[in-house]
């Protein structure tokens, strides 16, 4: 699984097609496709939040490229 850390106080990783966001605080994050369209807005809690239902592909989140497969 890929782990992407960020200077925003979050860690992002994918396991078995599920995107996990580990955050140091509550926040709202937007997930974009590679064309720049927002595909999901996620209310992230402090701790780890699972994001399911994303199709396979490359997404942009918190200035990072994330591969969901």
């Amino acid at each position: 699984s890929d782990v992407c850390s960020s200077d925003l106080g979050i860690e992002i990783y994918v396991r078995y097609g599920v995107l996990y966001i580990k955050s140091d605080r509550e926040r709202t994050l937007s997930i974009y496709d590679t064309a720049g369209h927002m595909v999901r807005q996620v209310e992230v809690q402090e701790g780890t939040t699972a994001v399911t239902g994303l199709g396979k592909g490359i997404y942009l989140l918190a200035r990072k490229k994330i591969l969901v497969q």
Side-chain angles (χ1 to χ4, degrees):
S1 69
D2 293 329
V3 176
C4 296
S5 58
S6 172
D7 58 354
L8 301 176
I10 63 174
E11 234 176 65
I12 303 162
Y13 56 98
V14 178
R15 286 202 182 121
Y16 306 109
V18 178
L19 176 69
Y20 293 93
I21 304 167
K22 185 177 178 183
S23 177
D24 62 355
R25 62 179 172 85
E26 290 184 16
R27 62 180 84 208
T28 302
L29 294 175
S30 298
I31 301 172
Y32 297 89
D33 63 17
T34 53
H37 300 110
M38 187 173 69
V39 294
R40 184 85 57 93
Q41 199 166 47
V42 182
E43 297 294 328
V44 176
Q45 305 301 315
E46 183 177 343
T48 302
T49 301
V51 180
T52 59
L54 289 173
K56 294 180 180 181
I58 297 172
Y59 296 92
L60 305 173
L61 172 62
R63 295 185 244 158
K64 301 289 181 184
K65 283 186 182 177
I66 307 300
L67 175 63
V68 176
Q69 53 186 358

